[in-house]
Amino acid sequence: MDHSEHGTSMDLPPFTLGRGLELSPDPFFLIGSLVALALYAWGVTRLVRRGDAWPVGRTVFFVAGVLTVLLAMCTKLNDYGMVMFSVHMVQHMIISMVSPILLLLGAPVTLALRALPVAGRGRKGPRELLLALLHSRYMRIITHPAFTIPLFIASLYGLYFTPLFDFLMSSQAGHIAMMIHFLAVGLVFFWPIMGVDPGPHRPGYVMRMLELFAGMPFHAFFGIALMMASTPMVGTYDSPPASLGIDALSDQHAAGGIAWAFSEIPSVLVLIALVFQWYRSDQRQARRKDRAADRDGDKELAAYNAYLAQLHARSGGPAGAARGGQKESSAAAADENPQATAAVGGSPAVRENGSGGAGR
């Protein structure tokens, strides 16, 4: 790529964190980020106006995710990333492993499904199209681990260790397409594992952890391969500008160390999110069971007493044994509804004694 196309990359001074964090907006990612924030704000506002709640934490996560995209693509990290492998790797790791996790925790699809209006009968609006996409065969394929894990691995080895990377870096459009690809791969990889939004592939929590750890070792090996190499492996970065004062091989080793370290950070973040979601899921399930028991408790008790009476009848026991099961059911019902019992002549115990008296 002609580095003069991308700002003043050829004349950049030696890299420092302060210089890297200076503003240098990429129009595509700046506009895309602002549109994403505006749409999310519209959805939250629409819910609040109609009296529905939306967790503040989700909004915070989503905004943080968009800010990380802006950090990677709208600062001079993007300029330095065109000529320094190490800085490019920072961009890659942020936009493929940090931004997707934060964006997914913001649950944008759930927000859209709740905020978008329902189309009229026989018509399809944005909400219906989104639902159709979520339930489509295409979505089932691209969120399945048999697709996401190989894609995650190929995005490293198949990109950096082939001429494809140099081809994409030779134009501004190719560079933007590569960064969009990194973000998309991160989203489809982490969505089935820890995404809040509904999706076609939603395995159990243990399987989700296995999916997470299936991809991360390959990420670490990729970093180690860059650190162990004795020659520059990517043509784009084999002759850095003299103004940077860096050695291409040393910069590649630094890039490998960044890739290796970043394979651990997202794993910890996702693991924490998974454990928290697992705990919340168990709590919700326990509350559902409690509500069901409160609502259907009389039915279960009646069925249990009927079962006991049936066992007695089957075994040929005295009729009084069967009546004993009925008496327990009546007593339980009396405890639950004393007014109804009083209306039919007092407690079961009184009626039992009354009948005994008649017998005498």
Side-chain angles (χ1 to χ4, degrees), residues 108-190:
V109 175
T110 300
L111 177 62
L113 291 174
R114 290 182 61 184
L116 288 170
V118 177
R121 184 183 297 275
R123 292 162 52 193
K124 284 190 176 181
R127 187 178 186 277
E128 288 69 28
L129 293 174
L130 179 58
L131 278 172
L133 177 63
L134 287 174
H135 292 96
S136 66
R137 179 180 298 177
Y138 167 78
M139 196 59 70
R140 284 198 300 271
I141 292 172
I142 68 166
T143 59
H144 196 279
F147 179 85
T148 59
I149 294 174
L151 178 66
F152 188 74
I153 297 167
S155 293
L156 295 171
Y157 297 88
L159 184 64
Y160 288 97
F161 297 162
T162 68
L164 180 59
F165 182 84
D166 293 328
F167 170 75
L168 292 172
M169 288 291 284
S170 66
S171 69
Q172 184 70 7
H175 182 241
I176 290 172
M178 179 168 56
M179 289 300 175
I180 293 172
H181 171 77
F182 290 153
L183 180 62
V185 168
L187 288 170
V188 297
F189 178 76
F190 289 113

Side-chain angles (χ1 to χ4, degrees), residues 30-322:
L30 178 62
I31 294 170
S33 296
L34 292 177
V35 168
L37 289 174
L39 289 174
Y40 198 92
W42 172 84
V44 173
T45 303
R46 184 174 169 85
L47 290 187
V48 171
R49 280 182 177 170
R50 75 180 186 212
D52 291 342
W54 182 254
V56 175
R58 290 184 180 178
T59 303
V60 171
F61 279 124
F62 187 83
V63 171
V66 174
L67 290 178
T68 58
V69 173
L70 290 172
L71 172 68
M73 300 307 302
C74 291
T75 65
K76 284 201 172 177
L77 288 178
N78 199 30
D79 295 336
Y80 277 100
M82 303 302 294
V83 290
M84 290 181 66
F85 199 179
S86 57
V87 179
H88 167 83
M89 194 57 66
V90 171
Q91 284 183 281
H92 179 174
M93 296 300 105
I94 290 174
I95 209 166
S96 70
M97 302 187 76
V98 178
S99 302
I101 293 171
L102 294 173
L103 292 172
L104 288 168
L105 289 174
V109 175
T110 300
L111 177 62
L113 291 174
R114 290 182 61 184
L116 288 170
V118 177
R121 184 183 297 275
R123 292 162 52 193
K124 284 190 176 181
R127 187 178 186 277
E128 288 69 28
L129 293 174
L130 179 58
L131 278 172
L133 177 63
L134 287 174
H135 292 96
S136 66
R137 179 180 298 177
Y138 167 78
M139 196 59 70
R140 284 198 300 271
I141 292 172
I142 68 166
T143 59
H144 196 279
F147 179 85
T148 59
I149 294 174
L151 178 66
F152 188 74
I153 297 167
S155 293
L156 295 171
Y157 297 88
L159 184 64
Y160 288 97
F161 297 162
T162 68
L164 180 59
F165 182 84
D166 293 328
F167 170 75
L168 292 172
M169 288 291 284
S170 66
S171 69
Q172 184 70 7
H175 182 241
I176 290 172
M178 179 168 56
M179 289 300 175
I180 293 172
H181 171 77
F182 290 153
L183 180 62
V185 168
L187 288 170
V188 297
F189 178 76
F190 289 113
W191 181 15
I193 295 174
M194 44 67 63
V196 181
D197 291 321
H201 176 69
R202 192 63 79 200
Y205 286 96
V206 174
M207 186 58 68
R208 294 190 203 184
M209 292 182 183
L210 291 176
E211 287 182 28
L212 172 65
F213 292 121
M216 290 302 114
F218 293 96
H219 212 281
F221 295 152
F222 167 74
I224 292 170
L226 291 178
M227 286 168 28
M228 299 288 287
S230 57
T231 57
M233 301 179 69
V234 178
T236 300
Y237 299 113
D238 61 2
S239 301
S243 63
L244 294 173
I246 61 171
D247 172 67
L249 189 58
S250 298
D251 189 51
Q252 177 175 291
H253 291 166
I258 290 166
W260 175 78
F262 258 93
S263 67
E264 304 301 324
I265 296 170
S267 299
V268 173
L269 292 176
V270 172
L271 206 53
I272 292 171
L274 267 179
V275 170
F276 181 73
Q277 290 174 7
W278 197 347
Y279 170 76
R280 290 283 299 275
S281 176
D282 285 347
Q283 293 290 99
R284 284 195 299 269
Q285 192 171 1
R287 285 196 296 269
R288 277 197 299 268
K289 286 182 178 178
D290 289 342
R291 285 196 299 269
D294 292 340
R295 187 170 57 248
D296 301 330
D298 291 345
K299 290 182 182 177
E300 291 180 4
L301 184 60
Y304 176 69
N305 285 325
Y307 171 69
L308 289 178
Q310 191 178 20
L311 285 180
H312 284 301
R314 239 182 240 168
S315 61

